[in-house]
């Protein structure tokens, strides 16, 4: 009798432990499970609070975050929802529209073609696309990639206006007769058309569609699986719903847009994890050589001698403690993204969300600060001492 009582007490405990162990194994084997490194527990908890406050204050439905240090992911998870209507949670594999961060892929592709000797960034665009209508001034590939070529920028509503365009070539042709708004290399102005031209140039050189070139040269080489063009009428697993604000700032479903013609500048879906992996490629030579890293890091100098806060494809600047910062911010209808790279600390922070507008940027600096306080505490203390004197 005593033996039976012991067995009745013991068996449920064994069953519970087996279930718990099974859950642990499942979580470890699930690529989609959040990543939290215990060493950075305090920084992660503070950052999660910041992101949740941001979701509430900015009415952002959902987002994903990824933080890596020296090539290792220390924090990655989805926060909020990928779909308000279905109440589907955002996860690490949720694909968001990344807006202008799509230009990272274009700058990488052009840099790879340059490394392979298939083009020269200092040469005229017309050398590679001779049929493009002649402008008053010539412009180079470097000027296109550094946003100093003289082309006007795109308005958000143009995406809806141009929704009947079928491909990149039609977008390039739509604006090919525009005049330059300033002489190249005398001024800086972000223009999505710069990267559309670099995309069509890559197609001319590579004899393939832009998306295939990016896939073959960049994504497949790095084993990046969740980054692709936002094909409008194709079922894409884990694609987030897209949201927008109307004229009185109410959250609404984003209007339907065709992102395919804008692939080199606005048209990609991605995850915070994938963006982080892409950003890590410029921390040290490897995927790119040192000459290319310098191209991404060094500020462009205008013909008059002034430096702008742009390199080839990136924002090149410093943070409030004078730490080197390479960044990329992206926004489009229905999505936004942010990438921050601190090369000296080997810190990379990436964010994606399913709300795109001009109201405010994603809080990437706030997240980075939490980890920099741990990685580079003396820097902050020394700078604060100087400012107090």
């Amino acid at each position: 009798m005593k033996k039976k009582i012991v067995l009745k007490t013991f068996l449920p405990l064994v069953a519970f432990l087996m279930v718990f162990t099974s859950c642990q194994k499942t979580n470890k084997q699930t690529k989609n499970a959040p990543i939290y490194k215990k060493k950075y527990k305090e920084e992660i908890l503070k950052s999660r609070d910041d992101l949740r406050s941001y979701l509430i204050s900015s009415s952002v439905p959902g987002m994903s975050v990824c933080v890596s240090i020296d090539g290792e992911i220390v924090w990655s998870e989805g926060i909020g929802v990928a779909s308000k209507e279905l109440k589907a949670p955002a996860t690490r594999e949720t694909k968001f529209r990344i807006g202008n961060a799509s230009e990272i892929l274009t700058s990488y592709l052009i840099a790879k073609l340059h490394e392979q000797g298939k083009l020269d960034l200092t040469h005229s665009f017309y050398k590679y696309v001779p049929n493009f209508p002649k402008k008053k001034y010539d412009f180079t590939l470097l000027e296109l990639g550094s946003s100093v070529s003289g082309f006007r920028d795109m308005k958000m509503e143009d995406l809806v206006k141009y929704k009947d365009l079928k491909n990149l070539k039609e977008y390039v042709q739509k604006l090919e007769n525009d005049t330059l708004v300033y002489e190249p290399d005398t001024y800086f102005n972000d223009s999505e058309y710069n990267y559309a031209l670099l995309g069509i140039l890559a197609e001319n050189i590579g004899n393939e569609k832009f998306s295939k070139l990016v896939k073959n040269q960049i994504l497949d080489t790095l084993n990046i699986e969740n980054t692709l063009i936002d094909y409008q009428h194709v079922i894409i697993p884990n694609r987030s719903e897209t949201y927008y604000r109307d004229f009185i700032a109410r959250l609404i479903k984003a209007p339907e847009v065709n992102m395919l013609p804008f692939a080199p500048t606005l048209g990609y879906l991605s995850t915070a994890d994938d963006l982080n992996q892409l950003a890590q490629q410029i921390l040290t030579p490897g995927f790119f050589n040192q000459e290319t890293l310098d191209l991404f890091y060094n500020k462009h100098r205008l013909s008059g001698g002034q430096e702008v806060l742009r390199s080839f494809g990136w924002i090149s600047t410093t943070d409030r403690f004078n730490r080197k910062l390479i960044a990329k911010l992206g926004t489009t209808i229905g999505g936004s993204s942010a990438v921050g790279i601190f090369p000296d600390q080997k810190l990379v922070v990436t964010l994606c969300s399913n709300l795109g507008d001009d109201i405010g940027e994603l809080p990437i600096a706030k997240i980075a600060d939490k980890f920099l306080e741990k990685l580079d505490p003396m820097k902050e203390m020394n700078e604060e001492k100087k400012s107090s004197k």
Side-chain angles (χ1 to χ4, degrees):
M1 185 73 178
K2 189 175 181 181
K3 189 174 182 181
K4 286 183 180 180
I5 293 171
V6 171
L7 282 173
K8 284 181 180 179
T9 307
F10 183 66
L11 285 174
L13 178 60
V14 172
F16 171 77
L17 290 173
M18 287 176 68
V19 170
F20 181 75
T21 306
S22 174
C23 288
Q24 280 190 315
K25 286 181 180 177
T26 302
N27 286 338
K28 285 179 181 177
Q29 291 167 357
T30 302
K31 289 170 63 177
N32 204 16
I35 293 175
Y36 313 103
K37 291 296 179 182
K38 189 175 180 180
K39 181 179 178 181
Y40 298 97
K41 177 183 175 182
E42 187 177 340
E43 290 73 29
I44 292 169
L45 288 174
K46 289 179 180 177
S47 297
R48 288 180 95 246
D49 287 343
D50 285 342
L51 287 184
R52 292 192 181 283
S53 296
Y54 175 79
L55 289 183
I56 295 169
S57 63
S58 302
S59 301
V60 174
M63 62 194 310
S64 63
V65 57
C66 183
V67 177
S68 68
I69 298 170
D70 201 10
E72 179 189 19
I73 294 178
V74 300
W75 177 33
S76 174
E77 71 171 314
I79 297 174
V81 294
S83 169
K84 284 179 69 69
E85 295 76 13
L86 299 176
K87 297 183 179 178
T91 72
R92 291 176 58 209
E93 290 189 345
T94 300
K95 299 176 181 70
F96 298 91
R97 286 180 181 169
I98 59 172
N100 305 87
S102 303
E103 294 171 357
I104 295 172
L105 295 165
T106 309
S107 64
Y108 278 17
L109 175 60
I110 296 298
K112 270 297 173 188
L113 294 174
H114 177 72
E115 286 187 352
Q116 294 162 7
K118 296 178 181 178
L119 57 80
D120 188 320
L121 295 173
T122 64
H123 287 170
S124 166
F125 175 78
Y126 293 103
K127 177 176 179 178
Y128 306 102
V129 190
N131 296 327
F132 190 74
K134 292 292 187 291
K135 305 300 175 187
K136 183 178 180 180
Y137 303 103
D138 195 6
F139 51 93
T140 68
L141 311 191
L142 185 60
E143 288 165 350
L144 287 170
S146 304
S147 295
V148 296
S149 64
F151 287 97
R152 68 177 177 87
D153 58 339
M154 179 194 288
K155 293 181 173 61
M156 195 79 83
E157 54 265 29
D158 288 344
L159 285 173
V160 179
K161 188 169 68 175
Y162 299 150
K163 68 179 180 181
D164 294 328
L165 299 176
K166 295 182 180 65
N167 51 45
L168 172 62
K169 186 176 180 180
E170 288 192 5
Y171 172 47
V172 169
Q173 291 174 339
K174 185 83 175 176
L175 303 179
E176 66 182 6
N177 292 313
D178 280 10
T179 57
L180 299 180
V181 294
Y182 60 89
E183 183 179 348
D185 219 24
T186 61
Y187 185 69
F188 160 78
N189 182 47
D190 268 328
S191 170
E192 287 79 5
Y193 198 60
N194 288 321
Y195 280 81
L197 292 180
L198 289 175
I200 210 73
L201 177 147
E203 290 190 347
N204 278 14
I205 292 173
N207 294 314
E208 277 192 296
K209 292 293 184 185
F210 175 80
S211 57
K212 285 189 176 180
L213 290 169
V214 168
K215 190 173 188 302
N216 294 337
Q217 294 263 8
I218 311 298
L219 301 177
D220 285 354
T221 306
L222 296 173
N223 295 315
I224 289 176
E225 300 177 350
N226 289 312
T227 298
L228 70 163
I229 292 176
D230 186 13
Y231 293 103
Q232 186 178 14
H233 299 300
V234 174
I235 294 174
I236 298 176
N238 298 313
R239 174 165 49 184
S240 173
E241 292 287 359
T242 55
Y243 299 94
Y244 197 59
R245 296 183 212 262
D246 65 11
F247 66 97
I248 56 172
R250 291 178 305 184
L251 192 70
I252 59 172
K253 288 289 291 290
E256 190 173 281
V257 292
N258 176 19
M259 304 302 291
L260 182 59
F262 313 102
T265 183
L266 296 168
Y268 273 82
L269 297 167
S270 192
T271 65
D273 282 18
D274 277 9
L275 284 180
N276 203 290
Q277 188 178 348
L278 284 167
Q280 288 175 38
Q281 305 312 309
I282 66 172
L283 285 175
T284 55
F287 185 68
F288 295 111
N289 60 34
Q290 186 60 52
E291 180 187 354
T292 301
L293 298 192
D294 293 341
L295 179 72
F296 294 143
Y297 278 35
N298 296 336
K299 296 175 185 176
H300 182 83
R301 191 177 294 276
L302 299 173
S303 57
Q306 311 96 318
E307 282 187 340
V308 294
L309 298 181
R310 289 296 188 281
S311 60
F312 192 80
W314 294 90
I315 299 168
S316 180
T317 184
T318 56
D319 73 352
R320 60 197 178 99
F321 294 115
N322 205 36
R323 286 179 287 232
K324 181 70 175 173
L325 169 61
I326 308 297
K328 190 71 179 179
L329 305 175
T331 187
T332 188
I333 293 176
S336 58
S337 62
V339 180
I341 306 170
F342 292 83
D344 295 334
Q345 292 76 26
K346 294 189 171 16
L347 172 70
V348 179
V349 181
T350 48
L351 296 170
C352 298
S353 90
N354 50 15
L355 175 65
D357 55 33
D358 296 323
I359 290 179
E361 296 174 352
L362 294 171
I364 194 164
K366 211 167 187 180
I367 304 305
D369 278 348
K370 301 288 188 301
F371 290 87
L372 287 167
E373 286 171 10
K374 185 181 186 77
L375 295 171
D376 200 7
M378 293 306 297
K379 180 87 175 176
E380 301 216 0
M381 287 171 60
N382 291 338
E383 293 296 332
E384 284 173 355
K385 283 179 182 178
K386 286 180 185 177
S387 63
S388 65
K389 288 181 180 178

